[in-house]
Amino acid sequence: MPADVISFARGAPSADILPRELVREAAARALESDWERALSYGTGRGHPGLCEWLAEFHGVDTSQVMIANGSLEAGVLLFERLVEPGDRVIVESPSYDRTLLLLHRLGAELTAVPLDADGINLSYLEETLELGPAPKFAHIIPTFHNPAGCTLSDEKRHRVLELAADNDLKIFEDDPYAEVYFEGHEPLPTMLSMDDAGRVIYASSFSKTVSPGVRVGYLVGPADDIAALAKRANENYISPNMLAESIVYELCVSGGLAENIDMVRHSLRERRDALVEALGELIPEAEFVVPGGGYFLWLDLADDVDSKELLAPAKDEGVAFVPGADFMLEGGASSLRLSFASVPAERVPEGVERLARALDRVRTAAAA
Amino acid sequence: MPADVISFARGAPSADILPRELVREAAARALESDWERALSYGTGRGHPGLCEWLAEFHGVDTSQVMIANGSLEAGVLLFERLVEPGDRVIVESPSYDRTLLLLHRLGAELTAVPLDADGINLSYLEETLELGPAPKFAHIIPTFHNPAGCTLSDEKRHRVLELAADNDLKIFEDDPYAEVYFEGHEPLPTMLSMDDAGRVIYASSFSKTVSPGVRVGYLVGPADDIAALAKRANENYISPNMLAESIVYELCVSGGLAENIDMVRHSLRERRDALVEALGELIPEAEFVVPGGGYFLWLDLADDVDSKELLAPAKDEGVAFVPGADFMLEGGASSLRLSFASVPAERVPEGVERLARALDRVRTAAAA
């Protein structure tokens, strides 16, 4: 087993693309100009300057924004508000494993709707809404999906909102990757921006655009929902991290955020390109949607291989991934998730070679 | 009404004693030497260096420590683990209002045990433990109590632990003020340090020794409890704020923390002294325990005044406080909490003059 595991498992940026200089400079400026807010208790909504910046960014009123210690914690607050044991919730298949865990923990009855290359399968979603009890909400990751790598098309975003209107359905639009696009154009409009009936609660984060360690995520939604969630946040932790939010705010207003996003897009596009090229050469039988941004590529192997049986030989070869079944209520056996955020581009071909060797070993063993 | 309200209401330091220079310097150093940990996801336990520092500080194994986004959030994790609706929990009377709220929210049946000048009333506690169903735990604020200002004596700490052993009772030792002592000697030993049976879970924080905006608190307790709580924390928010914890860690190891605590002790002692002197001169009929540290003084007015009726005239005079009843399940009508952390010493006499005038107005109105 090689000492240097190449890990496509972790949905986190490698250290070489963490913006240490930008954050150091922003911290110095924030603690010069904004020290009183950075060091004091805030409200459950978080840093007022950053709330205003986010409101402007999303074209909403400040009363519709709250910041939390990462968007996952914001999701927990929302789920605890909306979900009682036995409540039905629609999730995508595959979906983010931590979301599935949290909803299971609350006793939700999950209905999984499969994804197409352009996002959630609409006829399946329609059928799901026609049958069975009304769901509390649908959890949708519209852009550069984790784990599937696909993006919900503009047309489908509109259609999802129409279905939501027809069925009085709430949408939780979980969108942390939207800004990490590779193709040079603006991301697709959010469902939040298309919503005029208060049906969408939107979550995003600075984990991918600044860094995960700052733990700054946020929600945008109807003002009354946000007020109730901010009150609950205040009961639980008084205020989210004001120091980190002050530093992130400084990055937002100084242009450091935009500079960093450019760097992240460039680096991750190189990694994605290297991964797509190596997979095409070395594992040509596998199928995938080429992700237009984000962190993840979802690899469908041929049906003869169970990705959980691939784990041990992959470990022997010195490469890591997450089996597809971890992201599904059922199925996913012949799929796996590869994170290209965690592997520098020059290491990607070697990582895919190792994966291909592990695959050969599984197939050779099965043939024997 | 004066434009400049003097507020003894908020349990937070005034801006002039926030350590902006120290934190700015620590942030620069942390983002030089520790940037990778500061900017990356951690585990549910938080920053490993700070965990080690805290373990050494409390003389425990690192496996017994976890850091959270403030000690209140750590308490929420603990309460959600221990308390089912209908479970009995012992609290002090008065107690921290946010703790009472959180326990009520979980459906706990609270039994309030009164405080003496040297902490919880032991005969009342014994009687409580003899009668009724076994409590899940007792919540005790041993040092410079919020809101009561009193400190649990060394003898009583031992006796509480004996009672815990006799009754198989868990103790939640909620101790954020211990380091903010005024009298120049070391704080009393924690019940955690006396516990050899894994009955004590201890909480503290850097909110009072660094600043509230960093939102860094922690738990120390039995390794299996801490492991379960850290797992739950990881499910809820992946890791607490690594950037803020890296900066706090830098303050701990550089001596900046010790320097700041000295400054805070000095400033708050001046404020306490000014408050005690002004109360003795201007409201001599009121009774109180002189706090040996911390933020709070609990003022027992004569029985003729309801502190909620004092709120409106106090507002007219330009002074704020929190009525005692907010910290009690019942009673507290003739008491109020004064925070001296939030008022610079030179403003304290004017604040007490305003309070005395408000009291006169209530009494004059009652006599009329």
Side-chain angles (χ1 to χ4, degrees):
Chain A
M1 184 173 111
D4 62 327
V5 175
I6 297 175
S7 177
F8 296 110
R10 196 80 204 276
S14 54
D16 59 308
I17 55 171
L18 293 173
R20 58 186 190 273
E21 297 292 342
L22 285 172
V23 175
R24 189 162 62 231
E25 289 160 17
R29 288 195 303 272
L31 285 160
E32 189 71 53
S33 63
D34 192 39
W35 58 269
E36 187 169 349
R37 285 201 295 200
L39 297 180
S40 300
Y41 288 118
T43 69
R45 288 178 186 270
H47 191 282
L50 189 55
C51 280
E52 276 170 38
W53 190 90
L54 286 165
E56 192 165 327
F57 182 82
H58 285 288
V60 299
D61 190 78
T62 310
S63 64
Q64 294 181 252
V65 179
M66 70 174 280
I67 304 164
N69 299 306
S71 66
L72 188 67
E73 175 149 57
V76 171
L77 287 166
L78 180 69
F79 296 167
E80 288 181 348
R81 176 170 153 82
L82 294 180
V83 179
E84 300 285 330
D87 280 348
R88 193 169 178 229
V89 173
I90 293 176
V91 295
E92 296 170 304
S93 181
S95 188
Y96 182 37
D97 50 348
R98 289 181 180 273
T99 299
L100 300 180
L101 171 73
L102 289 169
L103 290 169
H104 273 304
R105 209 175 79 185
L106 289 166
E109 298 286 334
L110 302 183
T111 301
V113 176
L115 291 173
D116 300 326
D118 60 351
I120 196 162
N121 182 299
L122 285 179
S123 46
Y124 203 109
L125 177 61
E126 282 180 63
E127 196 181 326
T128 298
L129 289 169
E130 278 164 23
L131 306 169
K136 275 298 172 76
F137 63 93
H139 175 259
I140 293 179
I141 304 166
T143 320
F144 317 135
H145 193 281
N146 177 10
C150 64
T151 292
L152 188 65
S153 67
D154 191 39
E155 190 186 336
K156 277 193 170 180
R157 290 173 190 231
H158 285 282
R159 186 69 191 122
V160 167
L161 272 184
E162 284 167 17
L163 285 172
D166 293 346
N167 293 275
D168 196 19
L169 176 71
K170 277 184 193 289
I171 306 288
F172 181 37
E173 184 174 20
D174 191 1
D175 202 24
Y177 302 100
E179 289 301 305
V180 189
Y181 53 84
F182 300 155
E183 312 309 342
H185 49 67
E186 289 291 300
L188 292 175
T190 62
M191 288 184 282
L192 174 76
S193 70
M194 304 170 177
D195 173 35
D196 54 11
R199 287 204 179 78
V200 175
I201 296 186
Y202 181 92
S204 191
S205 157
F206 292 93
S207 291
K208 284 78 192 176
T209 53
V210 176
S211 67
V214 300
R215 311 304 306 118
V216 179
Y218 62 94
L219 293 178
V220 186
D224 54 348
D225 286 317
I226 295 297
L229 291 165
K231 177 171 178 290
R232 177 53 67 110
N234 176 265
E235 290 173 12
N236 284 0
Y237 51 71
I238 307 182
S239 69
N241 199 285
M242 299 302 288
L243 175 57
E245 290 173 26
S246 176
I247 294 170
V248 168
Y249 175 60
E250 175 59 32
L251 283 167
C252 290
V253 297
S254 69
L257 177 73
E259 181 185 332
N260 193 56
I261 292 176
D262 278 347
M263 183 277 292
V264 168
R265 283 179 191 142
H266 178 79
S267 298
L268 296 192
R269 187 172 54 231
E270 282 185 351
R271 294 170 191 202
R272 188 246 358 227
D273 290 346
L275 182 61
V276 167
E277 188 183 338
L279 288 171
E281 281 174 19
L282 299 165
I283 315 180
E285 73 280 13
E287 295 182 349
F288 53 88
V289 173
V290 176
Y295 280 17
F296 303 108
L297 184 147
W298 180 256
L299 198 67
D300 281 317
L301 301 168
D303 281 341
D304 61 327
V305 178
D306 184 326
S307 62
K308 289 202 171 173
E309 290 174 15
L310 188 60
L311 281 172
K315 192 176 174 188
D316 284 346
E317 295 288 348
V319 63
F321 63 87
V322 182
D326 286 14
F327 304 96
M328 318 263 289
L329 304 181
E330 54 185 46
S334 61
S335 302
L336 51 86
R337 186 191 78 172
L338 299 176
S339 164
F340 48 87
S342 48
V343 184
E346 65 275 16
R347 300 280 289 152
V348 166
E350 169 67 17
V352 175
E353 276 172 35
R354 294 178 186 185
L355 191 64
R357 284 200 296 273
L359 262 172
D360 281 345
R361 286 167 60 172
V362 171
R363 286 183 173 132
T364 306
Chain B
M1 184 174 111
D4 62 329
V5 175
I6 296 174
S7 177
F8 297 109
R10 195 81 203 276
S14 55
D16 58 310
I17 56 170
L18 293 172
R20 58 187 191 271
E21 297 293 342
L22 284 172
V23 175
R24 188 161 64 230
E25 290 159 17
R29 288 194 305 270
L31 286 161
E32 188 72 52
S33 62
D34 192 40
W35 58 269
E36 188 169 349
R37 285 201 295 200
L39 297 179
S40 300
Y41 287 119
T43 69
R45 287 177 187 270
H47 191 283
L50 188 55
C51 279
E52 277 169 38
W53 189 90
L54 286 165
E56 190 165 327
F57 182 81
H58 286 288
V60 299
D61 190 79
T62 310
S63 64
Q64 293 181 253
V65 179
M66 69 175 281
I67 304 165
N69 299 306
S71 65
L72 189 67
E73 175 148 59
V76 172
L77 288 166
L78 180 70
F79 296 165
E80 288 181 348
R81 176 169 154 82
L82 294 181
V83 179
E84 302 284 330
D87 281 347
R88 194 171 177 226
V89 173
I90 293 176
V91 295
E92 297 170 304
S93 181
S95 188
Y96 183 37
D97 49 347
R98 289 180 181 274
T99 299
L100 300 180
L101 171 72
L102 289 168
L103 290 169
H104 272 305
R105 209 175 78 185
L106 289 166
E109 298 285 335
L110 302 183
T111 302
V113 176
L115 291 173
D116 300 325
D118 60 350
I120 196 162
N121 182 300
L122 286 179
S123 45
Y124 204 108
L125 177 61
E126 281 180 61
E127 195 181 326
T128 299
L129 290 168
E130 279 163 24
L131 307 170
K136 277 295 173 81
F137 63 92
H139 176 261
I140 293 179
I141 304 165
T143 320
F144 317 135
H145 193 282
N146 176 10
C150 63
T151 293
L152 189 64
S153 66
D154 191 37
E155 190 187 334
K156 277 193 171 181
R157 289 172 190 231
H158 285 281
R159 186 69 192 123
V160 167
L161 272 185
E162 284 167 17
L163 285 171
D166 294 346
N167 293 276
D168 196 21
L169 176 70
K170 277 183 193 287
I171 305 287
F172 182 37
E173 184 175 18
D174 192 0
D175 203 23
Y177 302 99
E179 289 301 306
V180 189
Y181 52 85
F182 300 156
E183 311 309 341
H185 49 68
E186 290 290 300
L188 292 175
T190 62
M191 288 184 283
L192 174 75
S193 70
M194 304 170 178
D195 172 35
D196 53 11
R199 286 204 180 80
V200 175
I201 297 186
Y202 180 93
S204 190
S205 155
F206 291 94
S207 290
K208 283 78 192 176
T209 53
V210 176
S211 65
V214 300
R215 308 307 305 117
V216 179
Y218 62 95
L219 293 178
V220 185
D224 54 348
D225 286 320
I226 295 297
L229 292 166
K231 178 171 179 289
R232 177 53 67 110
N234 177 265
E235 290 172 14
N236 283 1
Y237 51 71
I238 306 181
S239 68
N241 200 286
M242 300 302 287
L243 175 57
E245 289 173 26
S246 176
I247 295 169
V248 168
Y249 175 60
E250 175 60 30
L251 283 167
C252 289
V253 296
S254 68
L257 177 72
E259 181 184 333
N260 193 56
I261 292 176
D262 277 347
M263 183 279 291
V264 168
R265 282 180 192 140
H266 178 79
S267 297
L268 295 193
R269 187 173 53 233
E270 283 186 349
R271 293 169 191 201
R272 188 243 1 223
D273 290 346
L275 182 59
V276 167
E277 188 184 338
L279 288 170
E281 282 175 19
L282 298 166
I283 315 181
E285 74 280 15
E287 294 182 351
F288 54 87
V289 173
V290 176
Y295 279 17
F296 303 108
L297 184 147
W298 180 256
L299 199 66
D300 281 318
L301 300 169
D303 281 343
D304 61 325
V305 178
D306 183 326
S307 62
K308 290 203 171 171
E309 288 174 15
L310 188 61
L311 281 171
K315 190 174 175 189
D316 284 346
E317 296 288 347
V319 63
F321 62 88
V322 182
D326 287 14
F327 304 96
M328 318 265 286
L329 305 180
E330 53 186 46
S334 62
S335 301
L336 51 88
R337 187 190 78 172
L338 298 176
S339 164
F340 47 87
S342 48
V343 184
E346 66 274 17
R347 299 280 287 152
V348 166
E350 169 69 18
V352 176
E353 276 172 35
R354 294 178 186 184
L355 192 65
R357 283 200 296 272
L359 262 171
D360 281 345
R361 285 166 60 173
V362 171
R363 287 183 173 132
T364 306

